[in-house]
Every structure is written in structure tokens, then in C-alpha cells.
């Protein structure tokens, strides 16, 4: 054992422990007060954050006499503008979930944790909460000083104002979520009159608590320890993934700027070791130590580094979107040569095609025809052949409608059992038994095609749906 220790160079051991010191993950022992500064990526982040305005404003869009998008779970109906999706159409939901799962995978494989850095609700709400915190309490140094200061009237006033606004945002978040599942105007009326149902009250309360605690207190800890997507996306990244990356070839060795030193006399790299990239990081990661678990690839470190490079008169891009392979070899593998990008794209195309097909073929009423097999046919006293069918009509409209049935098939076909039509309840499947009689002389084979069509009128619109079946007669 002593011989083995003697064979290991001291410098190697020092390097091992020095590197392990860089891989630090904040476990909550310190509160991150990230510095906020402008730049291209900060502006892009604000634009991506605005995507969530749809979450708040979407429930108030109207379509005809109802909410444009309403997930009516008690009545098992999803209303999306002019389309109504019932449980029978939920196969499209599976394709939609597949589409977004693979979209997350392909974006992560190509450009890293874009979802985490720019669109995730935890990231967005935390960003808004910390922006408000800065407005009330000042920059990072002032906030740290205020946290350490004793409780005074001024401190209580500032903290109360901040937390009141946090709670207001959390309340609006809870109401907005429930409004996607209950008519928004009805919900607000119930809240004002203190008549909201138990389910609405519980979900609003859960979102108030969740938003307030996660965005206000846990912040980056939710990304590091609670979110499963952080782990999933981490294993999707490889050497060819383009990420916010520190160019160690250009930046090392680091060195602070010395007064009076000429640029041509400098022996250090371009990194001036100002730590601004760490100061703006919402999770406290030092990007110069390579890709780490805590990095959400928000690219704010790029803005910080570029601003410093411009001030000291050096080229920007010391931290930039680049792959590890590109840094090591000088070139990256093109997208069209990456196998898994092609696989992901194929699955995306399949899922999206299925969704488009489903929506394009989604009718207001739907018909299914079941041929009675006991018996297959009945010989009538007049020599004609009779078949029995069960029609199942799915009414996706918002009102009950009257259904008229017609049938097309062999010459002399007569339809019985629905001469005056029948009512179909909205949001339900209504069965109806009908009989079809055909003269035996019109049958050219043991089994001939037959087509049923249902029609109805709702408002000024006429809706119809058809389904083919077979008419069975004696063996010929």
C-alpha cells in the first residue's frame, strides 16, 4: 500500500481534489441572490416568459356562447374552440403527450435544457419573483444585508409588501389553473360570493401554496432536487449538443487585469476572472468548470461575459453556445449526421400527423354500426331478407339533437325502426336498433355492402356521418 502511494505523483492527487472542489451543488445552505443584467439572452428570456400569458388569459377567450378552451372533466368533454373531444377521441391525447415528450428530447439533444432555461414554469415564476424582490429590496448585496439585518419597521414593511405581491401572483396562478376546467366567469362569480366548490377551493389553495413556496423560497432547489425532468434532460446531452459553454482554449489561464499592462505583454487568457458569469447564474453554477448538474442553460452567463469583454476591449464569445466536441476538435457534427435526431424527428412527424388527422376527421356526430350475429339474417314471409343492426351515435354537440337515419345498398332496400328519427343526448353515445329488408332477388352475393348515414341540424349547421357495413343473405 505504501509502495502504491509512493508511485502516485503529488500533483496528480492535488489535481483530483482540486477538480472535485469545483463540482459543488448548492444543497440549500446558501441563498442564491443572482445579479440581473440586460443583454440579448435576457431579452429572449423575457419573450419566452411571455408564453405563459396564455395560461392567464386563455380561459377568458370565448367561442360562440361558451369558453373557447374548456376541459370539462365532470361531463367528460374537452372543448377546444369549435372542436369537442370526448373520451372516445382520447387516443389523440396519447399522441399529443408523445409529441411533447419527443419534442423535449430532440430539443435537449440539439440545444440542451432549453425548456428548463427559458420555458419551465418553475424557472419563469422564480424569475418573476426575484425580479419583484429586487424592486423592493434592491440588488444582491442589499438583499443579503437586509436578510442579515435585525427586524425593524422598515424591514417588516418591505418584506410584507413583497410577500403580499408574491401571494397575489400565487392566487392568480391557482385561479387561472382552475379556470381551464371550469367556466372562468362562473368561477370568479363563485369566488366573489364565497360559493366556490370544494374541488375548486382545494386546487386553488394547492397552487397558492405550491407557487409561493417553490418560486419564493425553494427556487433553484426545486430544479436540483424535486424536478425529475432535470435528471432526464441531463442524460440526453452528449458531446455534440450545443450548450452555453466556456471556451477554455481561449480563456485559460485566467488572470485579472493589471493596470498599465499592455495587451501584447499579457501572458494570461481572455478570462479576467471577474466571476460575473457566476454572479448572474440563478443556480450559482460556475460555467468555467464545465457542464454541471445545476446548469439550466439559461445563457445569462453569456450576456454577463460579453458585457465584460466589451468593456476590456476583447472579442465577445468567450462563453457562447458551442458543443464540447466543437471546442476540442474545432468542428461539430452537423444535425443531419446525428442518428438520434433523425429518429426523434421521425417519431415527431408520426405523432403530429396522427394529431392532424384526428382533428381533421373529428366530426360533431359520429356513427358506429354493429351487425347482429344472432341470427345473421331472417327470411320474411314475403320472401325478403331482414338484417338487424345496432347504431351507436356519439353526439359531440353541446345540445341534444334529433338524428335522422338513411341507408343505401341493394335495390329495393327498406329501413325500419327509425322512420321518424330519434334523439341523441349531447356528450353521450345513444344506441338505436334498426332493421333493413332487401328482396332476395336483389342480392347478388351472400354478403353485399350497405351504407348508413345519419344527419342532424344544430342552429344553422347541418352535420352528418356515414359508416359502411354489410348485408348478409342466404348462401348462393
Amino acid at each position: 500500500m505504501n509502495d502504491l502511494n509512493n508511485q502516485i505523483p503529488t500533483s496528480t492527487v492535488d489535481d483530483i481534489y482540486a477538480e472535485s472542489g469545483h463540482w459543488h451543488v448548492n444543497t440549500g445552505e446558501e441563498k442564491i441572490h443572482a445579479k440581473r443584467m440586460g443583454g440579448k439572452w435576457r431579452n429572449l428570456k423575457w419573450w419566452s416568459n411571455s408564453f405563459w400569458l396564455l395560461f392567464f388569459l386563455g380561459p377568458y377567450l370565448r367561442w360562440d356562447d361558451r369558453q373557447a378552451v374548456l376541459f370539462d372533466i365532470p361531463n367528460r368533454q374537452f372543448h377546444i374552440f369549435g372542436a369537442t373531444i370526448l373520451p372516445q377521441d382520447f387516443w389523440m391525447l396519447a399522441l399529443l403527450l408523445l409529441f411533447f415528450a419527443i419534442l423535449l428530447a430532440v430539443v435537449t439533444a440539439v440545444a440542451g435544457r432549453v425548456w428548463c432555461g427559458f420555458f419551465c414554469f418553475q424557472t419563469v415564476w422564480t424569475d418573476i419573483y426575484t425580479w419583484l424582490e429586487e424592486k423592493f429590496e434592491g440588488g444582491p448585496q442589499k438583499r443579503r444585508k437586509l436578510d442579515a439585518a435585525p427586524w425593524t419597521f422598515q424591514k417588516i414593511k418591505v418584506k410584507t409588501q413583497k410577500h403580499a405581491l408574491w401571494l397575489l401572483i400565487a392566487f392568480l396562478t391557482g385561479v387561472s389553473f382552475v379556470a381551464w376546467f371550469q367556466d372562468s366567469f362562473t368561477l370568479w362569480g363563485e369566488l366573489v360570493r364565497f360559493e366556490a366548490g370544494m374541488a375548486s377551493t382545494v386546487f386553488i389553495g394547492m397552487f397558492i401554496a405550491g407557487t409561493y413556496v417553490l418560486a419564493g423560497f425553494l427556487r433553484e432547489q426545486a430544479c436540483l432536487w424535486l424536478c425529475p425532468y432535470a435528471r432526464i434532460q441531463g442524460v440526453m446531452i452528449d458531446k455534440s449538443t450545443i450548450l452555453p459553454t466556456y471556451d477554455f482554449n481561449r480563456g485559460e489561464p485566467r488572470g485579472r487585469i493589471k493596470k498599465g499592462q499592455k495587451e501584447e505583454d499579457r501572458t494570461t487568457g481572455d478570462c479576467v476572472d471577474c466571476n460575473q458569469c457566476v454572479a448572474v447564474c440563478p443556480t450559482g453554477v460556475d460555467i468555467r468548470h464545465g457542464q454541471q448538474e445545476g446548469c439550466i442553460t439559461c445563457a445569462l452567463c453569456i450576456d454577463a461575459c460579453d458585457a465584460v469583454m466589451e468593456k476590456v476591449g476583447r472579442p465577445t464569445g468567450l462563453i457562447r453556445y458551442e458543443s464540447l466536441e466543437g471546442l476540442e476538435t474545432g468542428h461539430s457534427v452537423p444535425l443531419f449526421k446525428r442518428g438520434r435526431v433523425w429518429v426523434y424527428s421521425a417519431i415527431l412527424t408520426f405523432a403530429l400527423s396522427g394529431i392532424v388527422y384526428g382533428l381533421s376527421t373529428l366530426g360533431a356526430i359520429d356513427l358506429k354500426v354493429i351487425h347482429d350475429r344472432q341470427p345473421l339474417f331472417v327470411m320474411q314471409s314475403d320472401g325478403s331478407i331482414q338484417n338487424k343492426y345496432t347504431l351507436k351515435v356519439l353526439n359531440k354537440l353541446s345540445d341534444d339533437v334529433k338524428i335522422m337515419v338513411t341507408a343505401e345498398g341493394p335495390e329495393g332496400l327498406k329501413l325500419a325502426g327509425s322512420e321518424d328519427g330519434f334523439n341523441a343526448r349531447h356528450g353521450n353515445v345513444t344506441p338505436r336498433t334498426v332493421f333493413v329488408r332487401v328482396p332476395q332477388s336483389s342480392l347478388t352475393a351472400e354478403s353485399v355492402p350497405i351504407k348508413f348515414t345519419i344527419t342532424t341540424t344544430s342552429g344553422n349547421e347541418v352535420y352528418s356521418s356515414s359508416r359502411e357495413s354489410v348485408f348478409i343473405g342466404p348462401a348462393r
Side-chain angles (χ1 to χ4, degrees):
M1 186 68 178
N2 291 334
D3 293 339
L4 180 61
N5 288 336
N6 292 333
Q7 294 174 8
I8 302 176
T10 304
S11 59
T12 301
V13 176
D14 293 340
D15 290 343
I16 292 173
Y17 287 106
E19 181 179 356
S20 66
H22 296 323
W23 294 93
H24 167 70
V25 177
N26 179 17
T27 57
E29 69 278 0
E30 59 180 309
K31 185 176 182 180
I32 301 296
H33 287 290
K35 179 180 179 180
R36 304 181 75 90
M37 60 186 303
K40 178 179 68 174
W41 295 102
R42 163 54 71 183
N43 293 336
L44 181 61
K45 190 174 177 65
W46 278 121
W47 280 108
S48 62
N49 289 358
S50 66
F51 163 81
W52 286 98
L53 290 174
L54 293 174
F55 172 78
F56 289 98
L57 301 178
Y60 303 98
L61 297 175
R62 310 303 291 183
W63 187 270
D64 292 334
D65 59 342
R66 60 171 171 79
Q67 190 166 307
V69 180
L70 178 63
F71 304 118
D72 190 355
I73 292 179
N75 293 318
R76 299 182 299 172
Q77 297 179 7
F78 283 7
H79 301 288
I80 304 177
F81 294 96
T84 298
I85 301 176
L86 298 181
Q88 291 82 353
D89 302 311
F90 272 14
W91 59 272
M92 286 189 291
L93 177 61
L95 288 179
L96 186 65
L97 294 176
L98 174 64
F99 174 81
F100 283 116
I102 299 302
L103 181 63
L104 178 69
V106 69
V107 170
T108 304
V110 172
R113 295 167 62 177
V114 174
W115 166 257
C116 290
F118 294 90
F119 294 99
C120 175
F121 42 84
Q122 171 65 18
T123 303
V124 173
W125 265 250
T126 298
D127 203 25
I128 294 172
Y129 270 42
T130 53
W131 175 74
L132 291 172
E133 187 173 58
E134 184 168 288
K135 294 298 180 183
F136 282 103
E137 300 180 3
Q141 292 300 330
K142 290 183 177 180
R143 297 202 296 272
R144 293 189 185 96
K145 185 177 180 180
L146 182 64
D147 288 343
W151 286 95
T152 62
F153 175 78
Q154 182 62 25
K155 180 177 180 178
I156 294 174
K157 177 184 175 182
V158 170
K159 292 287 186 180
T160 301
Q161 291 174 338
K162 179 189 73 173
H163 285 278
L165 200 52
W166 280 5
L167 286 170
L168 176 61
I169 294 174
F171 172 74
L172 294 176
T173 300
V175 173
S176 298
F177 175 81
V178 174
W180 289 93
F181 300 89
Q182 180 180 347
D183 184 85
S184 55
F185 295 113
T186 302
L187 174 62
W188 275 108
E190 292 177 351
L191 290 173
V192 170
R193 297 189 302 270
F194 297 97
E195 297 176 355
M198 178 61 70
S200 299
T201 304
V202 169
F203 275 102
I204 291 174
M206 289 173 58
F207 268 81
I208 291 175
T211 305
Y212 180 67
V213 172
L214 291 174
F217 298 93
L218 289 182
R219 299 183 181 180
E220 77 284 345
Q221 297 301 309
C223 303
L224 294 172
W225 307 111
L226 299 181
C227 179
Y229 293 106
R231 302 291 191 273
I232 294 173
Q233 291 183 89
V235 300
M236 295 177 183
I237 296 172
D238 56 26
K239 295 182 67 174
S240 58
T241 302
I242 300 174
L243 302 164
T245 306
Y246 168 69
D247 188 348
F248 51 84
N249 295 315
R250 175 185 152 190
E252 300 295 324
R254 306 172 207 165
R256 295 182 177 273
I257 298 176
K258 297 179 181 179
K259 293 182 179 180
Q261 185 183 45
K262 296 181 179 180
E263 191 68 13
E264 56 269 19
D265 297 333
R266 178 165 55 90
T267 59
T268 59
D270 280 350
C271 179
V272 298
D273 204 18
C274 62
N275 284 327
Q276 288 301 300
C277 55
V278 182
V280 300
C281 180
T283 59
V285 167
D286 190 341
I287 193 68
R288 296 171 297 178
H289 297 152
Q291 187 57 221
Q292 300 167 56
E293 183 181 26
C295 178
I296 60 174
T297 66
C298 62
L300 296 179
C301 53
I302 299 179
D303 284 337
C305 186
D306 284 350
V308 172
M309 291 296 103
E310 289 175 356
K311 289 180 180 178
V312 299
R314 298 176 186 177
T316 60
L318 178 59
I319 300 177
R320 63 183 183 274
Y321 263 94
E322 181 62 272
S323 66
L324 179 59
E325 187 177 48
L327 288 179
E328 292 178 343
T329 65
H331 65 276
S332 300
V333 177
L335 285 180
F336 67 88
K337 290 186 178 181
R338 298 178 62 184
R340 65 173 175 171
V341 172
W342 282 99
V343 174
Y344 289 153
S345 300
I347 300 174
L348 274 177
T349 303
F350 164 76
L352 186 60
S353 300
I355 295 170
V356 171
Y357 169 78
L359 291 175
S360 62
T361 58
L362 197 64
I365 55 175
D366 188 44
L367 171 65
K368 289 186 178 180
V369 179
I370 301 175
H371 190 287
D372 194 351
R373 304 183 65 85
Q374 295 293 333
L376 288 175
F377 64 89
V378 175
M379 181 77 72
Q380 300 294 299
S381 58
D382 61 357
S384 62
I385 307 299
Q386 176 177 284
N387 282 198
K388 180 181 177 182
Y389 301 87
T390 299
L391 308 183
K392 291 191 174 183
V393 178
L394 175 60
N395 178 11
K396 301 178 184 179
L397 297 169
S398 57
D399 300 309
D400 296 350
V401 294
K402 187 174 183 179
I403 300 294
M404 303 303 297
V405 184
T406 59
E408 301 174 23
E411 185 178 355
L413 178 148
K414 292 183 179 180
L415 178 66
S418 185
E419 294 82 352
D420 299 324
F422 61 95
N423 290 326
R425 295 177 56 197
H426 68 280
N428 286 275
V429 175
T430 303
R432 184 74 173 190
T433 300
V434 297
F435 300 89
V436 176
R437 298 190 183 99
V438 175
Q440 190 170 0
S441 58
S442 299
L443 297 177
T444 58
E446 182 179 350
S447 176
V448 295
I450 183 174
K451 181 180 179 181
F452 290 91
T453 300
I454 58 172
T455 58
T456 188
T457 302
S458 179
N460 297 324
E461 297 289 335
V462 177
Y463 303 98
S464 65
S465 179
S466 299
R467 181 76 65 171
E468 292 186 354
S469 184
V470 294
F471 187 91
I472 299 176
R476 302 185 67 82

